[in-house]
Amino acid sequence: MEDGTQHLGHCMVDMKELSANPEGLTAAGVFLTPKLPRVEFSLACSDLVASGRDRKPNALVQVAVIDPHKQHLVSQACTEIVEANKDPLFLTGVTFPSEYPTSTETLVKLTVYDAKDKSQESSSFLGSATFSIGDVLRAKDERLTLSLRSSDGVCAAGTVVVSRLKMGEMEEVEVDHITTDIPSQKCPMVCESASHACIDRENNPLTGPVFKNPVCKVYRFQTADSKWMLVREQMEECTLSFSIPKQLLSLYIQEDMRRVQDLRELGELSPHWDNLRKEVMTRYGGIISSYQETLAELDKITGRSFKPSCCKAQKSLEFIPINLHTQRMRVTCPRKTDAIYDIVTVGAPAAHFQGFKCSGGLQRLLSRYEAEKKSFSTAYQCIYYSPEHTAKAQEVLSTMSLLQPLITSLADQLLQAAQEHSSPGLRDALNNLSDKTEKFVHTLKDELVKSALLALHAARPGYISKTQKQTSMQEGQHQGHIHQGSDQNQSPVQGLPGHSPATSVTEGMVVCNNVEGSQTRGDSGHQDSIPHHKEYDEEEWDRVWANVAKCLNCVIAMVDKLQEEGNNKPEQVPEQQLADVITSHNPGDWGEQLCPVVTRLKECVMEVVEKAKRAMTFVLLQEAACSIPQGFLLQQRRDVVFSQALAALACGFVMRLYAGMQDKGFLKQLHLVGLVAQFESLLSTYSEEIGMLEDMEVGISDLQRVVFKITEATTDDLSDLQPLVCGRRDHFLVEVPLPRLVFQTLPEEIKEGKLLRVFPVLFNVGINEQQTIAERFGDISLQERINQKNFEKLEAYYKSLSEKVPLECLPCFQTQTDIKELLETLGQNVVTKKRKNVEILWTAGMICRRLNGIRFTSCKSAKDRTSMSVTLEQCSLLRDEHQLSKDFFIRALDCMRREGCRIENVEKNIKCRKYAFNMLQLMAFPKCYRPPEGTYGKVDS
């Protein structure tokens, strides 16, 4: 009994890893006190007696636990069917979930059936046996042989063998025919495993904060050299399914509220612009209200950490990714190190509630919107700015919001160092202040800011006087594009509505300052894309902007002067311009002498921020006004899709980070280049799914705006280890906190806060009957374009990686195919005209794993087609990397699909253990994507 208890209390910790960091893993708050670990065991039968003496049974074993309090059976697991065999050895094992209250007294009942068909709907009882967990632990070699009793409890119906072994303890058992012979020695099965919050996932303690509700399955498969391998699947939900969208919603609300406030602070505008502003603010108010309602609904939900597929069109859950799960396959083979293969499965990031029937998905809608926006600007009499210029305006606003408080803080640090007479502190603070101020000045050195200020000035009530108008017309200087009913050109300032009778809409004038393709007189080689107003005096902005640089020079000169005085060097006059700002202070008081120039610098920065902020807000007002109402609807759709995509990416990043914490090569790659995130999609390019794919393409592409940063957690509490999102729509940062002792093991670059990039790529190959229709009668150009574009991205990533990171940092695989060769194969497949060319997906997946990347697989709901893909990939890895016997490939595939984690995923989603396929559909599927007979049917998915 002592041995058994010792086994049960043992966490599967890699001793090498613990010795490398004995304190970090045990002191971290996430190394929880383990629950009683799961007990996992294998099953085999012998001398089974079928109902008909002339036939061998199609045996399966159902496993149930006897509830000690309620005295009833709780179904726990079921093996696969072994056909026509009286001595079956089952490949599917039995495991108890970590939260199940197992103990040595726990009673387990095994019931053996003879299945009449593969659906298991018709089967006959053969016999049953009961044992306790303690019986197995006390038995010699932890192996029990039990007699099966028939329904009358008298006749023996054969025997059942229950074997329990520890993970990693391998018996090199020779097995000639697994389906006919029971080996005399115990067959290896995955055995005890700790709670998912401990070091259960690749011996990593960091799963508790993010991953929960594990579902585990175990198998034993034969290798090509007749040895046994142990395979363990573990599927988990991710708390980020809800936490990331909720954080994003809060950020969206904050950003839009700031936008409304910025619009209010534009000041007084002419009636035309004021009406547009009010309409835009009303639209923003509607979005804010809608998002607040959604967030309130999500806050009411407690305990859930995934959205089932049956809720994919539910409005209150539209920001939540569909059926987001992680899945890990762990393989143990004789004389080899355990191997881990991870994948994230998620429903296609798409606006399922908003639908796809009317006009497709985001990619098509955005293309059409950009093409029509110029006509919108004409209808609303506003200036048209290209997407590049509106993006630049958002970038300027974002950069200013970051740099302005930073400059103020650094200026205060400079003054503090001066008061302390700290020469090194003074120099360090000055270097930081100079760097940030120069970035600030460079950001605002853009023609867009100047032009927007002019346009805003022209939008003020009564700005254009009659004299200015006549002078402007006489000079004939016409900047920008003003289209009106007559052929006579007019200055954009005059053309702005609300300033002159000549601008009346009733007279046929329409303002459309087209920012693309115009040229400024006197600079015929310059391609203009923003309106110019030559009659407006631009010196004010030039002066204000230049004053920042001048003030910085004054600060630098003053610091040099103070340090020279401190070194008792002869005083030199730095510059003539200092005479106006340097007054007669006590030569020994650095703070007093420095304060005036630093204060003037802060004032100049604030003045520039106020002007530039109003200018960029006015640009965004044009964008918003031209967008009513389509642009706002598109933004909401894009927010929804991006929320789902980011939740999936954050989940995958955290999973990959936790798995690679001990891998120095991976961590080096992470901070030098970043990680590739490869999304595999099985959507068809027909009907509604083409709209989903169009949404997904934009959502995955938008992930390029995301960077990650690893931080040190304030405490080791699980609540402080949840990833946090900050930023705005044009740029998001995801912070991933780690416990202090774990954080200290990271490379210095990561600990210093280096931003970590992710390179998302998407490959799609439709495999269902709708794709057959698309290939024969429809259009698959979207799929072809996506695959070609993302192949080029993947190729560029590999080129960058090979230039910056030694190839030794990449993982080793048994198959010796070079990554370059795989890329060539992928490139050939992408351009090959071949129906349902799933080799594209297989090759892209292999390349991703070779590159230390993050693997994702999606279909509409990540339930049916995704399950076929994940199980196929797992068995392919077993074949290619672990020498799975060819004779076992189909059996292993059927085991995983029939009783593995993916069928559990189906049941979690729709409360039914059936894949949502019918026979007609499956005839169109590639053969390797078809589920085993009896596991599919017509269900609500």
Side-chain angles (χ1 to χ4, degrees), residues 706-750:
V706 178
V707 292
F708 289 81
K709 181 180 178 181
I710 300 174
T711 61
E712 182 178 343
T714 54
T715 73
D716 289 348
D717 293 337
L718 296 185
S719 59
D720 290 325
L721 295 170
Q722 288 288 330
L724 303 173
V725 186
C726 59
R728 49 199 296 165
R729 286 182 177 91
D730 60 321
H731 180 83
F732 284 104
L733 169 68
V734 180
E735 295 185 357
V736 181
L738 295 179
R740 182 180 63 84
L741 291 174
V742 177
F743 181 80
Q744 293 303 319
T745 65
L746 295 173
E748 287 300 319
E749 294 86 348
I750 295 179

Side-chain angles (χ1 to χ4, degrees), residues 278-296:
K278 289 176 181 176
E279 188 170 359
V280 169
M281 289 170 63
T282 300
R283 292 283 179 176
Y284 276 125
I287 293 176
I288 292 168
S289 177
S290 173
Y291 285 5
Q292 287 174 334
E293 289 178 9
T294 300
L295 187 57

Side-chain angles (χ1 to χ4, degrees), residues 307-310 312 322-324 345-348 352 683 689 692 857-866 902 905 909-910 916 941:
K307 179 174 83 173
S309 63
C310 57
K312 59 176 167 282
I322 300 167
N323 193 19
L324 175 62
T345 59
V346 62
H352 295 273
L683 295 171
E689 288 198 3
M692 296 177 200
T857 295
S858 296
C859 59
K860 181 166 66 175
S861 60
K863 178 172 59 66
D864 304 305
R865 281 168 284 179
T866 294
R902 299 316 303 180
N905 181 273
N909 277 273
I910 62 172
S941 60

Side-chain angles (χ1 to χ4, degrees), residues 901-915:
C901 285
R902 299 316 303 180
I903 198 69
E904 299 291 342
N905 181 273
V906 171
E907 187 171 34
K908 284 178 69 173
N909 277 273
I910 62 172
K911 311 300 181 186
C912 176
R913 295 175 71 86
K914 294 281 186 182
Y915 298 111

